[in-house]
Amino acid sequence: MFQLQPKPVIVTLEISPSDMAWFNTLRELHFPAHANYLKAHLTLFYRLPGMEAAIPETLQQYSQRAPMPLQVNDIVSFGTGVAYTLHAPALQELHKDLQAAFDPWLVRQDRQPLRPHITIQNKVTAFKAAQLQAQLKETFTPFDITATGFGTWAYLQGPWKALDKFMFRE
């Protein structure tokens, strides 16, 4: 059961464990060890109020849906790191609906259109990021993964603490 708490809440998209294992392996290989205190993840919202009961209620409501297919469609360098991007029209629509529901509490970053991605490297030089992107693109072909729900996390000034999961269902 979701517990209200004073820390800001991060909302992520849960991905099937077998799909995420691959991203976690890449993250362990390429993310600087001193800064890699999270598993691979896809963030939907970066800062929602932890004391607002409407947040878990809304996530519970929107989790009453089937698991969602997502296509991993590219590898991008964002200057100091590398991420896999996703093509997911259904996720874009779901995110817009959640933005509308969470509107009173959204910070500027959470008001932006969703650009779904899974970061596997960050906090490196632009040169190192460009090298990894080029290396990974040599053998890349788009593939599908499955979204299975929402995760909520307390932000602890670096590490995150797992709070709850709201799993999709038919």
Side-chain angles (χ1 to χ4, degrees), residues 148-166:
T148 59
F150 306 113
T152 56
W153 307 81
Y155 179 65
L156 306 176
Q157 305 301 326
W160 299 0
K161 177 185 174 194
L163 297 174
D164 204 355
K165 291 184 181 181
F166 302 85

Side-chain angles (χ1 to χ4, degrees), residues 69-140:
L70 310 168
Q71 183 188 56
V72 180
N73 69 334
D74 201 4
I75 303 168
V76 297
S77 171
F78 52 85
T80 61
V82 174
Y84 282 80
T85 61
L86 291 89
H87 175 72
L91 177 59
Q92 297 288 358
E93 287 304 312
L94 177 60
H95 187 258
K96 285 179 192 173
D97 291 345
L98 288 169
Q99 281 179 312
F102 295 151
D103 184 70
W105 308 291
L106 295 180
V107 296
R108 183 187 332 221
Q109 184 177 22
D110 289 334
R111 291 185 182 281
Q112 302 302 313
L114 181 66
R115 293 181 304 181
H117 64 277
I118 299 172
T119 301
I120 56 132
Q121 181 187 60
N122 200 358
K123 303 179 188 331
V124 299
T125 64
F127 177 76
K128 193 168 186 176
Q131 279 187 312
L132 179 60
Q133 179 199 23
Q135 174 192 340
L136 293 173
K137 276 192 162 240
E138 286 177 8
T139 58
F140 177 76

Side-chain angles (χ1 to χ4, degrees), residues 13-17 67-68 146-150 166-169:
L13 188 67
E14 289 291 309
I15 308 291
S16 74
M68 182 185 322
T146 302
T148 59
F150 306 113
F166 302 85
M167 302 311 288
F168 296 160
R169 57 187 125 235

